[in-house]
Amino acid sequence: MALSDADVQKQIKHMMAFIEQEANEKSEEIDAKAEEEFNIEKGRLVQQQRVKIMDFYEKKEKQVELQRKIQASNMLNQARLRVLKTREDYIKNLVEEADRRLGDVTKHHDKYKQVLEGLILQAMYQLLEKTLTVRCLKRDIAIVEEVLPATIAQMKKATNIDVTATVDKENFLGADVSGGVEILACRGRTKVVNTLESRLGSIVEQMIPEVRTLLFGVNPNRKHMD
């Protein structure tokens, strides 16, 4: 039985509606898939940027912390240096004050006489020579000549060396020397300097660690004591 025009039109409309529905469903499916892929890609990009931002600020935070530690270390080192300089200046002032007071020793005749005798005898022990020349301040010639016999006798008793010692009356110790002597042997080629200044220098060098400890306490960073 042949289809009428109306039936044909009806079937065509039905087929068109079906195709249109299929197209719409396919379009919606494509749109949904595209939306899903878009959201996935957007999430990936957002996460990627978030990680980059977090890494950036983490690095910045580490740099700030490192700078803070460096600054704190520099400030601590500067403070330590200031403390050390203050301590060294204090000790330097003590040494300078002791140096200024050296001249007081020579003002007491009997005490200075004992000091000279000890300095001369010590130099004799160091040289162990028979012929010696004693050089002193011009003002000390008399007191040096006074103590020489006793020091020669002590040298003889201790070493059995007969010493001949003369006072140099042409060459004297410099004006920057407070007192003491220089003992020369071997025609001046060998010399022991035993001035008050040289003895103070030796004592200071030996006692500085002890003085630091007495004044400022034990250094906790010091592993070995002198």
Side-chain angles (χ1 to χ4, degrees):
M1 179 177 177
L3 295 175
S4 65
D5 291 340
D7 290 335
V8 171
Q9 289 294 325
K10 185 178 180 180
Q11 286 185 0
I12 290 173
K13 287 182 179 179
H14 179 74
M15 289 176 65
M16 288 178 65
F18 177 77
I19 291 171
E20 184 178 357
Q21 182 180 356
E22 285 290 320
N24 288 335
E25 289 177 355
K26 192 66 176 177
S27 175
E28 290 176 357
E29 182 182 345
I30 291 172
D31 288 343
K33 188 173 182 180
E35 180 72 18
E36 180 184 1
E37 290 178 352
F38 170 77
N39 289 331
I40 291 173
E41 181 64 15
K42 182 177 72 173
R44 186 186 69 81
L45 291 174
V46 169
Q47 180 63 21
Q48 188 179 59
Q49 292 303 314
R50 183 184 292 114
V51 170
K52 287 183 178 180
I53 292 171
M54 290 176 65
D55 287 344
F56 174 79
Y57 281 103
E58 185 178 356
K59 289 178 181 178
K60 282 292 183 184
E61 186 177 353
K62 289 180 178 179
Q63 289 176 355
V64 170
E65 180 64 16
L66 179 60
Q67 289 297 324
R68 187 191 67 78
K69 289 181 178 180
I70 292 173
Q71 186 177 12
S73 177
N74 289 337
M75 291 177 65
L76 181 60
N77 287 335
Q78 289 173 6
R80 286 174 177 167
L81 289 174
R82 286 195 295 270
V83 170
L84 288 175
K85 185 178 185 306
T86 300
R87 291 180 175 182
E88 291 303 315
D89 288 345
Y90 186 79
I91 291 176
K92 181 181 177 182
N93 290 336
L94 287 178
V95 173
E96 289 176 350
E97 179 62 23
D99 188 60
R100 283 192 293 269
R101 294 187 180 185
L102 283 178
D104 295 343
V105 177
T106 64
K107 295 177 182 178
H108 305 281
H109 181 273
D110 292 339
K111 185 176 181 180
Y112 186 44
K113 179 180 175 181
Q114 292 178 358
V115 170
L116 279 176
E117 187 173 337
L119 293 174
I120 293 171
L121 187 60
Q122 184 185 52
M124 286 181 175
Y125 287 151
Q126 288 181 252
L127 292 168
L128 294 176
E129 295 287 344
K130 291 184 177 182
T131 304
L132 303 174
T133 300
V134 182
R135 186 173 294 164
C136 61
L137 291 169
K138 190 173 183 179
R139 67 167 186 261
D140 289 341
I141 291 177
I143 192 170
V144 169
E145 289 180 332
E146 184 180 351
V147 300
L148 268 181
T151 56
I152 291 172
Q154 290 183 64
M155 182 68 175
K156 171 67 174 178
K157 183 178 179 180
T159 65
N160 203 33
I161 296 176
D162 291 313
V163 175
T164 300
T166 57
V167 180
D168 188 342
K169 296 182 180 179
E170 295 182 0
N171 302 291
F172 303 101
L173 298 181
D176 57 335
V177 175
S178 301
V181 294
E182 290 180 356
I183 309 295
L184 296 87
C186 304
R187 297 181 181 179
R189 291 193 297 272
T190 306
K191 178 171 69 175
V192 173
V193 178
N194 251 7
T195 61
L196 295 181
E197 282 75 13
S198 68
R199 295 307 303 153
L200 176 63
S202 298
I203 292 170
V204 167
E205 185 176 351
Q206 294 171 10
M207 294 189 64
I208 279 295
E210 184 179 347
V211 170
R212 284 198 183 99
T213 301
L214 288 173
L215 291 174
F216 311 118
V218 178
N219 186 347
N221 297 319
R222 192 171 188 178
K223 296 181 179 179
H224 304 287
M225 298 298 292
D226 292 339

